[in-house]
Amino acid sequence: MDAQAVLPRDVASDVWQDWTSLDWAGIHQTVRRLQTRIAKAIREGDWRGAKRLQKLLTRTTSAKALAVRRVTENQGRRTPGVDGETWSAPDSKWKAVQSLHTTGYKPKPLRRVHIPKANGEKRPLGIPTMKDRAMQALFLLALDPIAESTADENSYGFRPFRSTADAIVQCKNLLARGHSSKWVLEADIKGCFDNISHDWLLQHIPTDRKVLQRWLKAGVVEMGRLSPTEAGTPQGGIISPVLANMTLDGLESLLAERFKSRKHKVHMVRYADDFVVTGSSKELLEAQVKPVIEEFLAERGLWLSPTKTKITHISDGFDFLGWNVRWVRNGLQVKPSKKNRLAHYDKLRQQIHELRTAKQENVILSLNPIIRGWARYHIPVAVAATFKKMDHLLWGKLWAWAKRRHPSKGKRWIKKRYFRREGARDWVFAVDGMRLLRYSDFHFREHFKIKADANPYDPKWDAYFDECLTRLMMATLTGRKKLAWLWREQGGKCPVCGQPITKQTRWHVHHKVRRSDGGSDKLTNLQLLHPTCHRQIHSQPAGSPRRNGSPEAG
């Protein structure tokens, strides 16, 4: 019964002949059912049963199709590995689904590239081939329910429905009261992804060890030269963030066990490999807490950076995830850090310099996403003063940009040409129906932290996660009334596959009746669909249920 209960649902794979015929609603149901059962087995301590279910999941056509869909829809879908292949056509995607099996599987080496970091240094990134990415995505479907069921409660990085905003709210919860801890250990793990012990991973990660070992030992190609990989999990692999999280999981519970007394005030907040630990005194953190952390990391081949790890009094403040946390006269203050502000301003400055000969509308189109993204990231903290200052700095760069274009014109002419008045606001950088966003257009919005023990693979939390998704999407769709109405009208789900439409999945607007056939842009003729579901509908013959966006298309 344990292994056979889901098999009839995947029998439909026998009639799937190509990528466009896949039944995504049934595929998601099959995978979700198995993932739920894996999580249940872990909660009940049945690790042997969980292992059997993992093996079953990775062998289903449904899971393989979802794995291929993920790697062909994410941001890196057009970036090839060492073999130069990408899967863009439906035929290549269907062949990829059929090729995902462990028999004879041997990963190819990673293609090494270097991407810039905020501090000016470069971060090595290993790019697997499309097939290796799909295999990692496949095994991640089976591993993630276990990772979520065993994760530290206050770990917020690379996990469903968790974000940096949750981490900073937890910091405020721990430090905002008068009797809260006043000392913080700022921990920095030196090269976490690059130094995790392969032996530890192979002994403790509950997945197919042979496949995991092949990924870890695949090697790296840089400048045409192959180098072996003796430690670490590559930054760029789909499964790498979960492996890193599972490597560090257990540290929070270890600290809670070692320092049970309330007088110690030892608490931990972690986002991926960045974490802070609170304590009642500097001596406690230095002499007792830090050695426990170092011992825990040493078992995994990791160590703290001696130069970047420090113990700070809350009145001096510390930076965490782009925010500065400091105790001031009126209480705890959290605002965008100086380092983060300068990095953002430098990005704006470079962008404006590159657009020094561009049209005004192109400048607006280029800068608005940068302003919107940075502002939305910071609105869970105190932002009014910071945003006012950023508006002033941005105005200065735009004024210099405008004067440079017309050195022989007067200031009044330049102002009239590029800046307008909107209501009570003057100096609005605008042109014919579009204007540049201001940071002050965005205001503080309280973030409701996710409940620590919420598990997306436990059915009892489904209603709670629906509420979380609704809040998140309504914030994402602020100012886009038509999209927000469609999202709510559809219950936040794609009518084709029945799965949630989120910021991560992205969406397309579909016309039930094509405009070329007389269809209008009225809301009653529109639907929000996942990109793959949208392409699948348009691949069907005109007049079919799927083509008309009918839920019967499933």
Side-chain angles (χ1 to χ4, degrees):
M1 179 67 180
D2 197 44
Q4 298 295 326
V6 298
L7 284 180
R9 188 60 184 162
D10 202 49
V11 167
S13 62
D14 295 336
V15 299
W16 294 337
Q17 300 300 322
D18 53 43
W19 182 258
T20 59
S21 69
L22 293 175
D23 172 19
W24 289 110
I27 284 172
H28 280 286
Q29 290 172 8
T30 297
V31 173
R32 178 69 180 182
R33 189 181 299 112
L34 276 170
Q35 290 178 318
T36 300
R37 293 173 63 196
I38 291 171
K40 180 181 178 182
I42 295 302
R43 291 195 302 274
E44 296 174 349
D46 184 11
W47 286 86
R48 182 175 295 180
K51 185 176 181 179
R52 288 198 302 268
L53 290 167
Q54 280 185 298
K55 185 177 293 186
L56 176 61
L57 177 57
T58 57
R59 292 179 178 178
T60 62
T61 305
S62 294
K64 294 176 182 179
L66 272 187
V68 172
R69 178 172 177 170
R70 173 170 180 173
V71 301
T72 54
E73 287 189 0
N74 61 18
Q75 291 184 346
R77 61 189 179 277
R78 296 188 181 94
T79 305
V82 293
D83 59 359
E85 289 186 6
T86 57
W87 299 333
S88 55
D91 288 345
S92 60
K93 295 176 184 179
W94 180 242
K95 289 179 181 178
V97 172
Q98 296 173 309
S99 71
L100 296 185
H101 48 76
T102 57
T103 304
Y105 170 62
K106 184 178 181 181
K108 288 183 169 62
L110 306 169
R111 181 167 69 89
R112 171 67 55 83
V113 297
H114 295 269
I115 58 175
K117 297 171 64 175
N119 58 8
E121 299 177 359
K122 290 191 174 183
R123 185 192 307 276
L125 190 67
I127 302 177
T129 64
M130 292 295 290
K131 181 172 182 178
D132 294 335
R133 279 178 249 176
M135 287 292 287
Q136 290 187 19
L138 174 62
F139 280 85
L140 179 57
L141 289 171
L143 179 62
D144 203 45
I146 299 179
E148 284 298 307
S149 300
T150 59
D152 285 344
E153 288 191 347
N154 290 299
S155 164
Y156 299 102
F158 303 115
R159 296 181 60 192
F161 293 96
R162 286 166 169 82
S163 65
T164 53
D166 293 302
I168 202 64
V169 170
Q170 179 63 12
C171 285
K172 289 194 282 188
N173 292 342
L174 295 175
L175 299 169
R177 298 176 178 83
H179 61 272
S180 298
S181 168
K182 295 297 183 286
W183 291 93
V184 175
L185 169 66
E186 302 174 62
D188 183 274
I189 301 175
K190 190 170 184 179
C192 179
F193 281 83
D194 298 329
N195 295 299
I196 299 175
S197 167
H198 285 180
D199 290 339
W200 190 94
L201 288 172
L202 293 171
Q203 292 176 17
H204 294 88
I205 300 299
T207 190
D208 189 309
R209 292 182 182 177
K210 291 183 179 179
V211 175
L212 178 59
Q213 184 175 35
R214 291 169 188 167
W215 286 333
L216 297 176
K217 303 297 184 182
V220 175
V221 172
E222 185 174 8
M223 304 293 290
R225 183 174 299 175
L226 176 64
S227 302
T229 46
E230 301 298 336
T233 176
Q235 298 185 57
I238 287 178
I239 204 170
S240 296
V242 174
L243 295 180
N245 262 341
M246 297 187 76
T247 301
L248 298 177
D249 282 336
L251 178 55
E252 182 181 357
S253 57
L254 176 62
L255 292 175
E257 181 182 347
R258 294 284 184 92
F259 304 97
K260 296 179 180 179
S261 176
R262 286 189 175 184
K263 67 178 182 180
H264 291 143
K265 302 178 182 178
V266 174
H267 301 282
M268 177 179 172
V269 181
R270 178 167 67 85
Y271 186 89
D273 59 336
D274 293 330
F275 63 93
V276 294
V277 181
T278 65
S280 58
S281 68
K282 182 176 182 179
E283 293 73 20
L284 173 70
L285 292 173
E286 182 69 46
Q288 299 183 49
V289 174
K290 188 176 177 182
V292 172
I293 296 174
E294 290 175 332
E295 181 183 355
F296 178 90
L297 296 177
E299 295 177 5
R300 292 151 175 80
L302 302 172
W303 61 92
L304 295 175
S305 170
T307 57
K308 296 181 180 180
T309 300
K310 52 187 177 181
I311 299 173
T312 308
H313 193 273
I314 192 64
S315 61
D316 296 325
F318 65 94
D319 290 350
F320 185 52
L321 303 176
W323 291 297
N324 179 262
V325 183
R326 184 187 303 269
W327 186 273
V328 296
R329 181 178 298 178
N330 297 327
L332 191 72
Q333 179 188 75
V334 184
K335 63 180 183 179
S337 68
K338 181 178 180 180
K339 180 180 178 181
N340 188 271
R341 296 197 312 268
L342 291 176
H344 176 64
Y345 176 70
D346 188 58
K347 184 176 182 179
L348 287 175
R349 182 184 59 79
Q350 292 181 14
Q351 192 72 12
I352 293 173
H353 178 73
E354 292 175 3
L355 296 168
R356 57 191 180 277
T357 60
K359 294 180 180 180
Q360 185 179 10
E361 51 263 37
N362 292 335
V363 175
I364 294 174
L365 289 172
S366 179
L367 294 183
N368 272 351
I370 300 175
I371 296 170
R372 183 186 296 111
W374 191 83
R376 284 183 173 174
Y377 180 85
H378 288 292
I379 55 177
V381 302
V383 291
T386 299
F387 281 5
K388 184 176 180 180
K389 184 174 183 179
M390 293 302 299
D391 277 333
H392 177 71
L393 292 173
L394 179 57
W395 175 87
K397 295 304 298 181
L398 292 173
W399 180 244
W401 173 89
K403 289 197 301 181
R404 181 189 180 279
R405 293 172 66 87
H406 305 282
S408 61
K409 295 291 186 179
K411 293 181 179 179
R412 290 184 180 179
W413 186 94
I414 295 174
K415 178 183 184 299
K416 186 177 180 180
R417 171 70 174 79
Y418 292 105
F419 296 88
R420 301 183 180 184
R421 175 180 289 275
E422 289 187 359
R425 279 187 171 180
D426 199 2
W427 293 93
V428 177
F429 192 75
V431 60
D432 297 338
M434 66 171 66
R435 74 171 180 89
L436 187 70
L437 292 173
R438 289 191 178 191
Y439 293 93
S440 52
D441 293 334
F442 302 87
H443 307 283
F444 169 79
R445 184 172 64 238
E446 184 178 4
H447 179 81
F448 298 92
K449 188 183 79 70
I450 191 170
K451 294 182 179 179
D453 55 343
N455 186 339
Y457 298 103
D458 186 344
K460 75 177 184 180
W461 291 101
D462 285 350
Y464 173 74
F465 281 114
D466 286 342
E467 294 175 8
C468 292
L469 179 59
T470 299
R471 282 200 303 268
L472 179 63
M473 284 300 293
M474 287 301 100
T476 300
L477 298 175
T478 299
R480 306 165 81 177
K481 294 182 179 180
K482 181 178 286 189
L483 293 180
W485 188 90
L486 287 172
W487 191 88
R488 279 189 175 278
E489 185 69 13
Q490 295 174 195
K493 296 183 178 180
C494 172
V496 176
C497 66
Q499 295 304 299
I501 294 176
T502 68
K503 184 179 179 180
Q504 289 70 34
T505 64
R506 299 176 297 118
W507 59 83
H508 286 175
V509 177
H510 170 65
H511 288 75
K512 300 177 185 177
V513 179
R514 295 180 300 179
R515 280 175 289 187
S516 59
D517 294 333
S520 69
D521 289 330
K522 293 182 178 179
L523 290 172
T524 53
N525 191 47
L526 301 179
Q527 287 180 320
L528 292 183
L529 306 177
H530 291 132
T532 291
C533 297
H534 193 205
R535 287 190 289 269
Q536 186 180 49
I537 282 181
H538 280 279
S539 69
Q540 303 302 315
S544 67
R546 285 193 176 197
R547 187 62 186 251
N548 295 329
S550 170
E552 296 175 8

